[in-house]
Amino acid sequence: MGDVGVEVEEDLIEKYNLQDIDVLKVGHPGSKTSSGKNFINGIEPKYSIISVGKNNRYGHPNNVVLENLEDSKIYRTDQDGSIMFKIKNDKLKIEICAS
């Protein structure tokens, strides 16, 4: 998702048939300008990855974003370390390597 904001997320929902997403790479390290409630409710990610540094000066991820993702299993690099997804025989395996 990069640094896209809520407006682009709305465009994505309108343009593409995005629903029941397995893995969402949360945009803009969990900033309040991304991962809007409408977008998250529309795609219903099973897992959400937030790539964010420990004790970052922006306070990411934002609590509103975490609330929007409450129905998704959230992995955060600041808490979980490295996160690896492997797909084999149509099965998803998640591995974390705490730092």
Side-chain angles (χ1 to χ4, degrees):
M1 293 298 297
D3 287 343
V4 302
V6 174
E7 303 82 23
V8 175
E9 292 174 348
E10 296 295 328
D11 290 343
L12 291 172
I13 291 292
E14 287 180 26
K15 188 171 183 177
Y16 301 101
N17 184 23
L18 301 176
Q19 56 188 4
D20 300 323
I21 301 298
D22 290 327
V23 179
L24 170 67
K25 167 60 174 67
V26 175
H28 210 267
S31 165
K32 64 182 177 182
T33 62
S34 64
S35 304
K37 188 77 168 161
N38 288 341
F39 180 69
I40 299 303
N41 287 346
I43 65 171
E44 298 179 329
K46 291 179 183 79
Y47 306 98
S48 296
I49 309 305
I50 303 174
S51 181
V52 63
K54 288 183 182 180
N55 304 315
N56 66 84
R57 65 180 169 178
Y58 302 104
H60 293 161
N62 185 276
N63 286 333
V64 171
V65 171
L66 296 174
E67 289 171 12
N68 290 346
L69 295 167
E70 68 185 353
D71 293 331
S72 177
K73 171 64 176 150
I74 301 170
Y75 291 93
R76 298 171 44 168
T77 57
D78 64 332
Q79 295 178 346
D80 299 312
S82 297
I83 303 159
M84 185 182 312
F85 287 80
K86 295 181 179 180
I87 300 172
K88 185 175 181 180
N89 298 327
D90 290 329
K91 294 194 192 252
L92 178 65
K93 182 179 179 184
I94 304 165
E95 295 178 4
I96 59 171
C97 180
S99 49

